[in-house]
Amino acid sequence: MKKRVLTGINTTGIPHLGNYVGAIRPAIAAANRQAQGESFLFLADLHALIKCHDPETVHQSSLAIAATWLACGLDPEKVTLYRQSDIPEITELNWIFNCVCAKGLMNRAHAYKAAVDANNADNNADPDHGISMGLFCYPVLMAADILMFNATHVPVGRDQIQHLEMARDIAARFNHRYENLFVMPEAVVDDNVALLTGTDGRKMSKSYGNTIALFEPEKALRKQIMKIVTNSQAPGEPKNPDDSAIFDIYRAFAGAEEIAAMRRHYAEGISWGDAKQMLFERINTELSTPREIYHSLMAEPAKIEAVLQAGAEKARRESRAFLAQIRHAVGIRPLA
Ligand code: TRP
């Protein structure tokens, strides 16, 4: 069976350094190693509506994420890059899957259960308070994203493993009830993927407010790096690199020799200010070219729109044909 890699990104924010190190950089490296036509990447803008009710944010985020991936070297000739909402076959398949998927399966989804638990903990009279059907059915739409293109490998974070199990469950039920049309997708979770440390020493995450934006102008990048929290050790005092957010972030950008040199600087008592400056310079070296590309792309959204439209056209060549088969299998067919 042909290997087909597919993944989606929710369009609810602007990419930060943690996204770059943990997802964007490794995914582009992997995609560019792969043969043409086997790698799919999409903007999950329909999923974004579940969490994000600000239209401007959803819109801007789609633009920023597409521009980021292109600026970081994603080759749209090799990778089919598209927007979920441009593929109407996905939303139709979502409905068909709604009619295949057991409600009980969705009751067991971690994200939904966590929301119910939070309501119960708040002593809310309604355990489903604030929970939309979109949130409840999130894994069904995700199954449609994946199965529409019969993806075999789906790179995701740990938190998404259950969603892949659910996609397999839905695929198996469909195959059993109707016709064997879907392949069983597998989650690919990279445990070695760098979880970047944020400016406060915790994992870099939007929800902690400790992120460093990926493509801020140089000055703003430097300012954010200077804000990284350190202990109060003075210049000249030997410092422990393994207990330092600065070193942790540096490691994600530097080569083995640079890392060893930085360890020596720590042992020799480099000042926090100098360590931050070195970190800034290292990151800036890696990001300055993609940053320029990013800003020029952001200034020409029509260019990105054209890339996405071309990607959608490529994707739909498959999804149209496959949906026709799926419709036929469930009994939705021309009368004559
Ligand atoms: N749910 C994924 C996340 O939060 C995003 C996503 C939507 C996705 N559809 C997908 C990932 C399909 C992989 C395949 O990260």
Side-chain angles (χ1 to χ4, degrees):
M1 193 173 46
K2 210 171 73 179
K3 179 174 174 181
R4 158 80 51 98
V5 183
L6 174 146
T7 199
I9 311 143
N10 292 332
T11 54
T12 51
I14 308 293
H16 55 69
L17 276 189
N19 302 137
Y20 174 74
V21 168
I24 301 170
R25 195 173 57 183
I28 290 175
N32 290 344
R33 276 197 303 272
Q34 279 208 355
Q36 197 147 353
E38 294 177 2
S39 196
F40 284 56
L41 180 78
F42 69 95
L43 306 171
D45 56 347
L46 295 171
H47 273 114
L49 302 184
I50 295 166
K51 253 206 294 193
C52 182
H53 302 157
D54 176 37
E56 237 1 85
T57 304
V58 172
H59 184 239
Q60 267 308 109
S61 168
S62 301
L63 174 63
I65 292 174
T68 298
W69 284 76
L70 292 169
C72 290
L74 180 103
D75 177 358
E77 293 296 318
K78 266 197 162 169
V79 178
T80 305
L81 174 69
Y82 56 98
R83 191 165 35 199
Q84 185 185 32
S85 60
D86 283 335
I87 317 293
E89 292 77 18
I90 292 176
T91 37
E92 184 168 336
L93 184 58
N94 175 62
W95 178 257
I96 293 173
F97 283 165
N98 266 325
C99 301
V100 170
C101 180
K103 175 178 175 285
L105 185 69
M106 296 299 101
N107 288 342
R108 291 190 285 280
H110 300 318
Y112 169 66
K113 282 205 314 198
V116 170
D117 288 348
N119 281 331
N120 289 334
D122 286 351
N123 284 322
N124 203 304
D126 177 8
D128 283 325
H129 177 77
I131 299 173
S132 68
M133 287 304 291
L135 175 68
F136 186 67
C137 301
Y138 185 114
V140 181
L141 179 58
M142 186 160 158
D145 291 332
I146 296 166
L147 299 171
M148 185 78 257
F149 297 101
N150 265 335
T152 56
H153 296 73
V154 184
V156 282
R158 283 218 149 270
D159 60 321
Q160 301 293 312
I161 291 176
Q162 191 194 33
H163 293 154
L164 266 294
E165 286 165 5
M166 290 171 159
R168 283 199 296 276
D169 189 298
I170 292 168
R173 273 171 195 263
F174 183 101
N175 287 350
H176 176 74
R177 183 184 293 173
Y178 296 109
E179 203 179 307
N180 203 355
L181 291 182
F182 296 106
V183 305
M184 297 295 143
E186 245 175 73
V188 181
V189 178
D190 184 354
D191 281 320
N192 297 318
V193 105
L195 277 184
L196 201 64
T197 303
T199 53
D200 63 355
R202 292 186 289 175
K203 173 190 155 202
M204 188 177 287
S205 159
K206 199 174 103 179
S207 48
Y208 291 149
N210 63 358
T211 61
I212 296 174
L214 182 55
F215 289 137
E216 293 275 302
E218 199 171 296
K219 256 195 175 158
L221 173 67
R222 188 164 183 284
K223 207 167 150 191
Q224 288 182 318
I225 288 173
M226 291 300 156
K227 275 200 216 140
I228 296 173
V229 175
T230 63
N231 62 25
S232 55
Q233 282 183 296
E237 271 186 75
K239 297 174 176 65
N240 179 7
D242 298 313
D243 181 29
S244 161
I246 302 169
F247 183 78
D248 230 46
I249 301 172
Y250 187 80
R251 210 164 35 180
F253 288 87
E257 272 173 36
E258 290 168 304
I259 296 172
M262 187 60 114
R263 277 191 180 280
R264 279 197 303 279
H265 292 316
Y266 268 68
E268 290 160 3
I270 188 172
S271 74
W272 289 130
D274 288 349
K276 286 176 180 176
Q277 180 63 27
M278 283 185 72
L279 173 61
F280 162 70
E281 281 165 16
R282 189 63 197 78
I283 294 180
N284 198 44
T285 304
E286 179 159 335
L287 294 186
S288 60
T289 304
R291 180 167 53 219
E292 265 176 49
I293 302 172
Y294 173 82
H295 287 292
S296 67
L297 283 171
M298 289 296 280
E300 282 186 285
K303 249 190 188 167
I304 299 181
E305 184 61 36
V307 171
L308 292 179
Q309 289 307 324
E313 200 30 61
K314 226 188 324 170
R316 289 194 71 193
R317 255 177 261 150
E318 287 201 25
S319 60
R320 278 195 208 100
F322 193 32
L323 185 66
Q325 271 183 285
I326 298 165
R327 280 179 158 221
H328 185 90
V330 302
I332 293 178
R333 307 170 189 165
L335 298 179

